Amino acid sequence: MPLLDKIERNRLPAHIAIIMDGNGRWAKKRGMERSEGHKEGVNAIKKVVEAALKASVQYLTLYAFSTENWGRPTEEVQQLMDLMIYAISRETPDLKKNGVKICCIGDMDRLPKYAATAMEECIQETAQGTGLTLVLALSYSSKWELVAAARKITADVVKGVLQEGDINEETFASYLTTCDIPDPDLLIRTGGEQRISNFLLWQLAYAEFYFTDTFWPDFGENDLYAAIIDYQGRERRYGKTSDQIERVQ
Ligand code: FPP
């Protein structure tokens, strides 16, 4: 039976977030430049987006460029920016046709003007998409996001728009860049490392984690399905006991 058919449709993770790691090592293993690994990484994104559509996943968040990635050699940063903008602009018509809506989370003010403008165009172009929402984390880090939220909350309290007593988990979440997006159910990290790397620290509070040694360029359709099937075998207790969970099912 194809792996896609083994997925239980009534227990899908609505939101999958992915830390796409291992492009550089994939290239090094083949005696290639790191940039070749990133190019192959784009092909993997295409396969995984198609697979997410087939599996009816509603939200897919990809950690494309972290705040810390700005510290990479200038040439690699430039190559990554160019590759991302080229790829996303090239794929936009197809994404639109397939009902994919693109959005971005991250400190877009740090992007070069041409990149921010191109990204904004893709967001506008796909805004009517009602199938998969593809969230690109660009110039993103969770600590940046949390500090930015704290600043916005403080400004609103000073202005009198928000009362200190009104700050709770729900209001706090509404100040995050992910305010319109449900928290991820499943986090996948490729490339063999088992860490969270400043990604969605708040939003991953109750996500299931799935780590694989596969380098991102080798990750494909069946790898996504395997992760979903693994997720469906987990019991999500949200701090409760197994008995309590069984009683409500
Ligand atoms: C991690 O591999 C990957 C990245 C830092 C960049 C990922 C970006 C892409 C695949 C392109 C994104 C394109 C679009 C359209 C969003 P690494 O370089 O850290 O690999 P390593 O750990 O093996 O060195």
Side-chain angles (χ1 to χ4, degrees):
M1 198 197 319
L3 274 190
L4 178 60
D5 297 341
K6 291 192 180 165
I7 293 174
E8 289 176 52
R9 295 294 169 147
N10 57 349
R11 292 178 58 222
L12 281 172
H15 183 176
I16 300 179
I18 307 184
I19 301 177
M20 310 178 287
D21 197 15
N23 293 350
R25 281 166 289 157
W26 181 93
K28 195 173 172 198
K29 222 172 92 180
R30 288 161 177 78
M32 296 158 114
E33 297 290 328
R34 292 177 59 81
S35 57
E36 294 302 317
H38 296 315
K39 280 188 202 156
E40 272 309 305
V42 171
N43 292 336
I45 292 179
K46 207 171 146 82
K47 284 184 262 172
V48 166
V49 168
E50 283 164 10
L53 278 163
K54 281 196 211 167
S56 307
V57 171
Q58 290 168 37
Y59 294 86
L60 179 67
T61 297
L62 302 176
Y63 204 4
F65 193 90
S66 71
T67 304
E68 290 74 22
N69 287 154
W70 288 116
R72 288 196 175 192
T74 318
E75 196 190 343
E76 182 167 342
V77 170
Q78 185 63 52
Q79 283 168 347
L80 265 172
M81 278 300 140
D82 290 349
L83 177 66
M84 281 189 282
I85 297 313
Y86 170 73
I88 203 78
S89 305
R90 183 191 61 195
E91 297 301 329
T92 293
D94 254 11
L95 292 169
K96 189 178 173 182
K97 201 168 73 196
N98 289 314
V100 177
K101 175 180 172 171
I102 298 169
C103 50
C104 281
I105 53 170
D107 189 357
M108 302 303 279
D109 292 345
R110 282 189 77 176
L111 290 189
K113 182 109 182 64
Y114 76 94
T117 307
M119 204 46 83
E120 195 48 48
E121 276 170 20
C122 301
I123 292 169
Q124 297 299 333
E125 195 61 28
T126 60
Q128 305 307 320
T130 53
L132 173 72
T133 299
L134 177 62
V135 184
L136 300 176
L138 266 183
S139 185
Y140 175 87
S141 83
S142 207
K143 288 188 177 180
W144 162 81
E145 179 183 42
L146 292 167
V147 169
R151 286 202 175 134
K152 285 185 248 166
I153 288 170
T154 309
D156 277 355
V157 171
V158 170
K159 274 191 271 173
V161 177
L162 185 71
Q163 305 306 308
E164 187 193 332
D166 293 336
I167 303 171
N168 53 32
E169 289 183 16
E170 205 181 325
T171 36
F172 193 90
S174 74
Y175 281 83
L176 297 173
T177 58
T178 50
C179 58
D180 298 323
I181 303 165
D183 288 347
D185 301 293
L186 170 63
L187 171 79
I188 298 171
R189 181 173 187 142
T190 64
E193 313 287 1
Q194 302 197 353
R195 54 175 170 255
I196 199 166
S197 298
N198 212 351
F199 188 44
L200 301 173
L201 300 178
W202 171 282
Q203 298 86 342
L204 291 171
Y206 274 102
E208 297 295 327
F209 286 19
Y210 180 89
F211 297 107
T212 169
D213 288 340
T214 304
F215 291 143
W216 176 249
D218 289 328
F219 194 86
E221 178 176 359
N222 279 328
D223 298 292
L224 184 77
Y225 300 152
I228 294 175
I229 292 164
D230 187 90
Y231 161 88
Q232 292 186 324
R234 315 259 184 110
E235 181 185 59
R236 302 186 76 189
R237 289 195 293 277
Y238 300 97
K240 297 202 166 80
T241 67
S242 282
D243 285 351
Q244 286 174 302
I245 300 299
E246 275 162 28
R247 247 177 273 141
V248 290
Q249 275 172 356

